[in-house]
Amino acid sequence: MASSVEEHARFGGVVPEVASRAHVEAMVPAIERACATAQVRLTDIDAIAVTCGPGLAGALLVGVAAAKALAVALGKPLYGVNHLAAHVAVDVLEHGPLPEPVISLLVSGGHSSLLLVPDVTADIRPLGATIDDAAGEAFDKVARLLGLPFPGGPYIDRAAREGDPAYVTFPRGLTSGRDMQRHRFDFSFSGLKTAVARWVEQREADGEPVPVADISASFQDAVVDVLTRKAVLACQEHGVDHLLIGGGVAANSRLRAVAEERCAAAGIRVRVPRPGLCTDNGAMVAALGSLLVARNRPVSALDLPSDSSLPVTTVLV
């Protein structure tokens, strides 16, 4: 319905003020287009769901204010939901009801998390998360190093298809014996990003061209290796036979392929929504909202706040 990606691409990354203004400008037209596409009127809907965190404070404020206005004007119940929980819930639109429990690997520009999800509407338990850069953030930064556009994920994915993933063996963060004891299900991509930067700098200092396709493939393989290895291990150690992958990085073709391969070998079923449902979208918020309604969860108050650092354990505010 609406996207501000092109506006951010001019700056090589997300600019909070640009995001806030884009939300203001797009809110009413996006709602009108959504209703027209679905062939419904606003009065036909049963409830209003809105992301109230985590995320950029300005963008959250715009969304929450619009949702409150709609709820009051239409006399509909309001549900303030967690952005990360919505990334899990959206798979109901692709593959039907969620298995309970399910292990969820959420990978995006702002988050990289492993979650145990017995009930996406009420019970989400963090197993691990990134301790520095998120996976999507690392993709963006490495893409910039290689002269690729923003957002970096799709461009690295595309370039990597022509490259050799074994060209350079980049480090796999938090996978050594000691790290696996202290950070068993945590992630770290800052060191990997730095290793790529140093490799590129040395290559340029030597006056040699940087093989963009090969470095893209080698970097991508390092990220995917760590993500899938820890996700499968989480499933095995918690006795869960379903893995759900969500977030913008879940659209990566290599991540999908390796996850399918490793999960099949371990007897785990993997669920990944189609790429359009992986990146941030309104459908995922509606999906979680519908599940909250179906399970008779309490309605949010009209003084619902936005919280840019809302913990994933708080599904409904």
Side-chain angles (χ1 to χ4, degrees):
M1 294 296 120
S3 173
S4 59
V5 169
E6 291 185 5
E7 296 175 57
H8 295 298
R10 294 186 296 141
F11 302 97
V14 174
V15 181
E17 178 62 20
V18 171
S20 301
R21 290 180 181 275
H23 275 62
V24 171
E25 294 169 0
M27 185 62 66
V28 173
I31 292 172
E32 291 175 344
R33 281 196 295 273
C35 289
T37 302
Q39 297 184 334
V40 298
R41 297 173 300 175
L42 281 174
T43 52
D44 295 329
I45 64 175
D46 298 312
I48 308 290
V50 61
T51 296
C52 58
L56 298 174
L60 291 171
L61 283 170
V62 174
V64 169
K68 289 179 179 179
L70 286 170
V72 170
L74 299 171
K76 304 292 184 179
L78 175 67
Y79 294 86
V81 306
N82 190 295
H83 173 89
L84 301 181
H87 272 301
V88 179
V90 73
D91 195 56
V92 302
L93 304 179
E94 185 81 4
H95 298 111
L98 294 175
E100 295 180 341
V102 64
I103 294 290
S104 180
L105 171 65
L106 295 187
V107 276
S108 66
H111 306 277
S112 294
S113 306
L114 268 172
L115 310 169
L116 173 62
V117 187
D119 179 353
V120 72
T121 68
D123 187 3
I124 297 181
R125 307 172 192 177
L127 301 178
T130 182
I131 64 172
D132 43 57
D133 287 353
E137 185 180 4
F139 270 94
D140 290 338
K141 291 178 177 178
V142 169
R144 191 177 306 133
L145 287 170
L146 298 177
L148 297 173
F150 174 88
Y155 292 98
I156 286 182
D157 191 2
R158 198 171 302 135
R161 293 170 192 170
E162 306 298 325
D164 177 8
Y167 188 82
V168 180
T169 303
F170 286 121
R172 270 68 169 161
L174 300 184
T175 57
S176 67
R178 181 175 297 179
D179 284 333
M180 287 299 288
Q181 292 178 4
R182 298 176 55 200
H183 298 283
R184 194 162 190 79
F185 299 122
D186 291 324
F187 304 104
S188 172
F189 298 109
S190 180
L192 169 60
K193 172 203 65 183
T194 301
V196 176
R198 296 291 173 267
W199 195 97
V200 170
E201 289 169 2
Q202 186 60 55
R203 187 81 171 192
E204 292 174 338
D206 293 340
E208 297 288 335
V210 175
V212 173
D214 292 326
I215 298 306
S216 294
S218 298
F219 161 75
Q220 179 176 264
D221 202 57
V223 174
V224 168
D225 181 27
V226 174
L227 290 174
T228 54
R229 192 191 312 180
K230 293 203 173 193
V232 170
L233 182 63
C235 289
Q236 292 172 327
E237 293 195 354
H238 288 84
V240 177
D241 60 1
H242 281 78
L243 172 66
L244 189 157
I245 306 178
V249 180
N252 182 272
S253 63
R254 180 66 176 165
L255 175 58
R256 287 169 172 258
V258 174
E260 289 280 2
E261 178 184 327
R262 290 184 172 177
C263 284
I268 299 165
R269 295 187 62 181
V270 62
R271 295 167 55 128
V272 190
R274 60 184 180 272
L277 293 178
C278 291
T279 52
D280 291 349
N281 62 86
M284 69 187 202
V285 180
L288 180 53
S290 69
L291 293 176
L292 292 166
V293 172
R295 298 197 181 186
N296 295 314
R297 300 303 183 198
V299 175
S300 300
L302 285 176
D303 62 354
L304 169 72
S306 60
D307 184 350
S308 60
S309 58
L310 185 70
V312 69
T313 50
T314 303
V315 178
L316 176 64
V317 178

